[in-house]
Amino acid sequence: MTHPAPVPPDDVEHGRRVAGMFDRIARFYDFLNHALSLGLDVLWRRRLVAGIGLAPDHAGNVLDLAAGTMDVTLEIARRHPRAQVVAADFTLPMLRRGQAKIPPADASRLFPVQADGLALPLCDASMDAATIAFGIRNIRPRQGAYAEILRVLRPGARFCILEFGTGNRRIWGGAYNFYLTRILPGFGRLVSGDAAAYRYLADTIRAFPHEEALADELTRAGFVSVSHIPLASGIVF
């Protein structure tokens, strides 16, 4: 196993703050995801998993990075009943909530692991695919995460990202931007009591690169055949 590059102290502190934030909102996370997306997040995750390019009977290994409460992990398991899935996340309370969802029949092939996306506890070229849903925004530096994903993927394997479109573009005549700045923080505060967490979410969406810029980042990191598909008019891709 190769060793990742050292992480700058500011990024280490950022990771700790993000982990603490998700610790606080873990018990509200699933409800707010479904409510704030009007249930569309379920369909978006299905599209993500459909893109990993594995046969339904594939019996290899898949990484779900920033797995959170493991909705993507469980969708991978549903579509690929012979695959083994590593659900890696920096925040233990999120993983514990996800672990409670695992059907007994799948317990022997789903592996929740508390892990840093910048230093994955996985061997080189050990994964047949990797996913990350609404998590790449939270990892700094992103280039370090890209390097780790490339390290653990087998040659030719796919890395599929599901992420919000940048709030710097007007979508639906500005309705999406209003949602980010007003509705998301307000509803998140009402349900979870944590205004800061949902302000952070809105801020990171606004600051995130648009899909062409992200594709360029991935290409420069060493990925090939990078493409993107807009969903819900570009609210996610």
Side-chain angles (χ1 to χ4, degrees), residues 146-173:
Y146 300 153
E148 275 293 89
I149 291 291
L150 281 170
R151 179 183 67 78
V152 304
L153 284 178
R154 293 192 172 113
R158 289 185 183 177
F159 175 36
C160 295
I161 298 172
L162 176 64
E163 193 50 84
F164 287 107
T166 178
N168 287 327
R169 286 183 172 175
R170 288 176 61 83
I171 298 174
W172 292 353

Short mmCIF file of all heavy atoms in Angstrom, two decimals, residues 146-173:
data_model
loop_
_atom_site.label_atom_id
_atom_site.label_comp_id
_atom_site.label_asym_id
_atom_site.label_seq_id
_atom_site.Cartn_x
_atom_site.Cartn_y
_atom_site.Cartn_z
N TYR A 146 -8.92 12.23 -4.79
CA TYR A 146 -8.81 11.65 -6.12
C TYR A 146 -7.64 10.68 -6.19
O TYR A 146 -7.75 9.59 -6.77
CB TYR A 146 -8.61 12.75 -7.16
CG TYR A 146 -9.69 13.78 -7.27
CD1 TYR A 146 -9.40 15.07 -7.72
CD2 TYR A 146 -11.02 13.50 -6.92
CE1 TYR A 146 -10.39 16.04 -7.83
CE2 TYR A 146 -12.00 14.46 -7.02
CZ TYR A 146 -11.69 15.72 -7.47
OH TYR A 146 -12.66 16.69 -7.59
N ALA A 147 -6.52 11.07 -5.61
CA ALA A 147 -5.34 10.20 -5.64
C ALA A 147 -5.60 8.89 -4.91
O ALA A 147 -5.19 7.81 -5.36
CB ALA A 147 -4.14 10.92 -5.02
N GLU A 148 -6.30 8.96 -3.78
CA GLU A 148 -6.62 7.74 -3.04
C GLU A 148 -7.59 6.85 -3.81
O GLU A 148 -7.43 5.62 -3.83
CB GLU A 148 -7.22 8.09 -1.67
CG GLU A 148 -6.18 8.35 -0.60
CD GLU A 148 -5.42 7.09 -0.25
OE1 GLU A 148 -4.38 6.84 -0.91
OE2 GLU A 148 -5.82 6.35 0.65
N ILE A 149 -8.58 7.44 -4.44
CA ILE A 149 -9.52 6.65 -5.24
C ILE A 149 -8.79 5.96 -6.38
O ILE A 149 -8.98 4.75 -6.64
CB ILE A 149 -10.66 7.54 -5.78
CG1 ILE A 149 -11.55 8.01 -4.64
CG2 ILE A 149 -11.48 6.78 -6.82
CD1 ILE A 149 -12.37 6.92 -3.99
N LEU A 150 -7.94 6.70 -7.08
CA LEU A 150 -7.16 6.09 -8.16
C LEU A 150 -6.28 4.96 -7.65
O LEU A 150 -6.11 3.93 -8.31
CB LEU A 150 -6.31 7.14 -8.85
CG LEU A 150 -7.02 8.05 -9.85
CD1 LEU A 150 -6.11 9.19 -10.28
CD2 LEU A 150 -7.45 7.25 -11.08
N ARG A 151 -5.74 5.14 -6.47
CA ARG A 151 -4.87 4.11 -5.90
C ARG A 151 -5.62 2.81 -5.64
O ARG A 151 -5.11 1.72 -5.94
CB ARG A 151 -4.25 4.62 -4.60
CG ARG A 151 -3.32 3.60 -3.91
CD ARG A 151 -2.80 4.12 -2.59
NE ARG A 151 -3.83 4.26 -1.57
CZ ARG A 151 -4.33 3.23 -0.88
NH1 ARG A 151 -3.93 1.99 -1.11
NH2 ARG A 151 -5.26 3.45 0.05
N VAL A 152 -6.83 2.90 -5.10
CA VAL A 152 -7.54 1.68 -4.68
C VAL A 152 -8.34 1.05 -5.81
O VAL A 152 -8.74 -0.13 -5.71
CB VAL A 152 -8.44 1.93 -3.46
CG1 VAL A 152 -7.63 2.51 -2.31
CG2 VAL A 152 -9.64 2.80 -3.79
N LEU A 153 -8.59 1.79 -6.91
CA LEU A 153 -9.35 1.23 -8.02
C LEU A 153 -8.47 0.34 -8.90
O LEU A 153 -7.30 0.66 -9.16
CB LEU A 153 -9.95 2.33 -8.88
CG LEU A 153 -11.18 3.06 -8.34
CD1 LEU A 153 -11.59 4.15 -9.31
CD2 LEU A 153 -12.33 2.10 -8.08
N ARG A 154 -9.06 -0.72 -9.39
CA ARG A 154 -8.39 -1.54 -10.39
C ARG A 154 -8.40 -0.81 -11.73
O ARG A 154 -9.28 0.01 -11.99
CB ARG A 154 -9.09 -2.90 -10.52
CG ARG A 154 -8.96 -3.74 -9.27
CD ARG A 154 -9.40 -5.18 -9.50
NE ARG A 154 -9.07 -5.97 -8.32
CZ ARG A 154 -9.95 -6.53 -7.51
NH1 ARG A 154 -11.24 -6.37 -7.73
NH2 ARG A 154 -9.56 -7.23 -6.46
N PRO A 155 -7.43 -1.08 -12.60
CA PRO A 155 -7.42 -0.42 -13.91
C PRO A 155 -8.74 -0.63 -14.65
O PRO A 155 -9.27 -1.74 -14.71
CB PRO A 155 -6.26 -1.11 -14.64
CG PRO A 155 -5.35 -1.56 -13.54
CD PRO A 155 -6.26 -1.95 -12.40
N GLY A 156 -9.29 0.46 -15.18
CA GLY A 156 -10.54 0.39 -15.91
C GLY A 156 -11.79 0.52 -15.07
O GLY A 156 -12.89 0.61 -15.62
N ALA A 157 -11.65 0.53 -13.75
CA ALA A 157 -12.82 0.64 -12.87
C ALA A 157 -13.36 2.07 -12.89
O ALA A 157 -12.63 3.03 -13.15
CB ALA A 157 -12.45 0.22 -11.45
N ARG A 158 -14.63 2.21 -12.57
CA ARG A 158 -15.29 3.50 -12.60
C ARG A 158 -15.38 4.13 -11.20
O ARG A 158 -15.60 3.43 -10.21
CB ARG A 158 -16.70 3.38 -13.16
CG ARG A 158 -16.77 3.10 -14.64
CD ARG A 158 -18.20 3.12 -15.12
NE ARG A 158 -18.30 2.77 -16.54
CZ ARG A 158 -19.44 2.65 -17.22
NH1 ARG A 158 -20.59 2.88 -16.58
NH2 ARG A 158 -19.43 2.33 -18.48
N PHE A 159 -15.26 5.46 -11.17
CA PHE A 159 -15.52 6.26 -9.99
C PHE A 159 -16.70 7.17 -10.32
O PHE A 159 -16.61 8.00 -11.23
CB PHE A 159 -14.29 7.09 -9.64
CG PHE A 159 -14.47 8.06 -8.51
CD1 PHE A 159 -15.26 7.76 -7.41
CD2 PHE A 159 -13.82 9.30 -8.53
CE1 PHE A 159 -15.42 8.66 -6.36
CE2 PHE A 159 -13.96 10.19 -7.48
CZ PHE A 159 -14.77 9.87 -6.40
N CYS A 160 -17.82 7.00 -9.62
CA CYS A 160 -19.04 7.74 -9.91
C CYS A 160 -19.35 8.70 -8.77
O CYS A 160 -19.42 8.29 -7.61
CB CYS A 160 -20.21 6.78 -10.12
SG CYS A 160 -20.01 5.73 -11.57
N ILE A 161 -19.56 9.96 -9.12
CA ILE A 161 -19.84 11.03 -8.16
C ILE A 161 -21.27 11.51 -8.36
O ILE A 161 -21.72 11.71 -9.50
CB ILE A 161 -18.87 12.21 -8.37
CG1 ILE A 161 -17.42 11.79 -8.13
CG2 ILE A 161 -19.24 13.39 -7.47
CD1 ILE A 161 -16.41 12.86 -8.51
N LEU A 162 -21.98 11.68 -7.25
CA LEU A 162 -23.28 12.37 -7.26
C LEU A 162 -23.11 13.62 -6.41
O LEU A 162 -22.70 13.53 -5.25
CB LEU A 162 -24.37 11.46 -6.68
CG LEU A 162 -25.77 12.07 -6.54
CD1 LEU A 162 -26.35 12.41 -7.91
CD2 LEU A 162 -26.69 11.11 -5.79
N GLU A 163 -23.41 14.77 -6.99
CA GLU A 163 -23.17 16.02 -6.25
C GLU A 163 -24.15 17.09 -6.70
O GLU A 163 -24.70 17.03 -7.81
CB GLU A 163 -21.72 16.48 -6.48
CG GLU A 163 -21.25 17.57 -5.55
CD GLU A 163 -21.51 17.25 -4.09
OE1 GLU A 163 -20.70 16.54 -3.47
OE2 GLU A 163 -22.55 17.72 -3.58
N PHE A 164 -24.38 18.06 -5.81
CA PHE A 164 -25.22 19.19 -6.15
C PHE A 164 -24.52 20.09 -7.16
O PHE A 164 -23.31 20.30 -7.10
CB PHE A 164 -25.51 20.03 -4.90
CG PHE A 164 -26.49 19.38 -3.97
CD1 PHE A 164 -26.06 18.85 -2.76
CD2 PHE A 164 -27.84 19.32 -4.28
CE1 PHE A 164 -26.95 18.26 -1.89
CE2 PHE A 164 -28.74 18.73 -3.41
CZ PHE A 164 -28.30 18.19 -2.21
N GLY A 165 -25.30 20.65 -8.09
CA GLY A 165 -24.78 21.66 -8.98
C GLY A 165 -24.48 22.93 -8.21
O GLY A 165 -25.09 23.22 -7.19
N THR A 166 -23.56 23.69 -8.72
CA THR A 166 -23.14 24.91 -8.02
C THR A 166 -24.30 25.90 -7.90
O THR A 166 -25.11 26.06 -8.81
CB THR A 166 -21.97 25.59 -8.75
OG1 THR A 166 -21.64 26.79 -8.06
CG2 THR A 166 -22.30 25.90 -10.19
N GLY A 167 -24.36 26.55 -6.75
CA GLY A 167 -25.35 27.59 -6.54
C GLY A 167 -24.98 28.90 -7.20
O GLY A 167 -25.73 29.89 -7.09
N ASN A 168 -23.86 28.95 -7.91
CA ASN A 168 -23.48 30.16 -8.62
C ASN A 168 -24.14 30.28 -9.99
O ASN A 168 -23.93 31.26 -10.70
CB ASN A 168 -21.95 30.23 -8.78
CG ASN A 168 -21.27 30.54 -7.47
OD1 ASN A 168 -21.82 31.27 -6.64
ND2 ASN A 168 -20.09 29.98 -7.25
N ARG A 169 -24.90 29.26 -10.39
CA ARG A 169 -25.65 29.33 -11.63
C ARG A 169 -27.14 29.46 -11.30
O ARG A 169 -27.63 28.82 -10.37
CB ARG A 169 -25.43 28.05 -12.45
CG ARG A 169 -24.07 27.98 -13.11
CD ARG A 169 -23.98 26.73 -13.97
NE ARG A 169 -22.77 26.72 -14.76
CZ ARG A 169 -22.40 25.69 -15.53
NH1 ARG A 169 -23.15 24.61 -15.58
NH2 ARG A 169 -21.29 25.74 -16.21
N ARG A 170 -27.84 30.27 -12.07
CA ARG A 170 -29.28 30.41 -11.87
C ARG A 170 -29.98 29.20 -12.49
O ARG A 170 -29.84 28.93 -13.68
CB ARG A 170 -29.78 31.71 -12.50
CG ARG A 170 -29.36 32.94 -11.73
CD ARG A 170 -29.80 34.21 -12.45
NE ARG A 170 -31.25 34.28 -12.59
CZ ARG A 170 -32.07 34.73 -11.63
NH1 ARG A 170 -31.58 35.11 -10.47
NH2 ARG A 170 -33.37 34.80 -11.82
N ILE A 171 -30.70 28.46 -11.66
CA ILE A 171 -31.45 27.29 -12.10
C ILE A 171 -32.92 27.51 -11.77
O ILE A 171 -33.25 27.96 -10.66
CB ILE A 171 -30.91 26.01 -11.43
CG1 ILE A 171 -29.44 25.77 -11.83
CG2 ILE A 171 -31.75 24.79 -11.81
CD1 ILE A 171 -28.78 24.61 -11.12
N TRP A 172 -33.78 27.18 -12.73
CA TRP A 172 -35.22 27.40 -12.55
C TRP A 172 -35.50 28.87 -12.21
O TRP A 172 -36.24 29.18 -11.28
CB TRP A 172 -35.79 26.48 -11.48
CG TRP A 172 -35.81 25.03 -11.86
CD1 TRP A 172 -35.49 24.49 -13.07
CD2 TRP A 172 -36.15 23.93 -11.01
NE1 TRP A 172 -35.61 23.13 -13.03
CE2 TRP A 172 -36.01 22.75 -11.79
CE3 TRP A 172 -36.55 23.82 -9.68
CZ2 TRP A 172 -36.26 21.48 -11.26
CZ3 TRP A 172 -36.80 22.56 -9.16
CH2 TRP A 172 -36.67 21.41 -9.94
N GLY A 173 -34.89 29.76 -12.97
CA GLY A 173 -35.15 31.18 -12.80
C GLY A 173 -34.73 31.73 -11.46
O GLY A 173 -35.27 32.74 -10.99
#
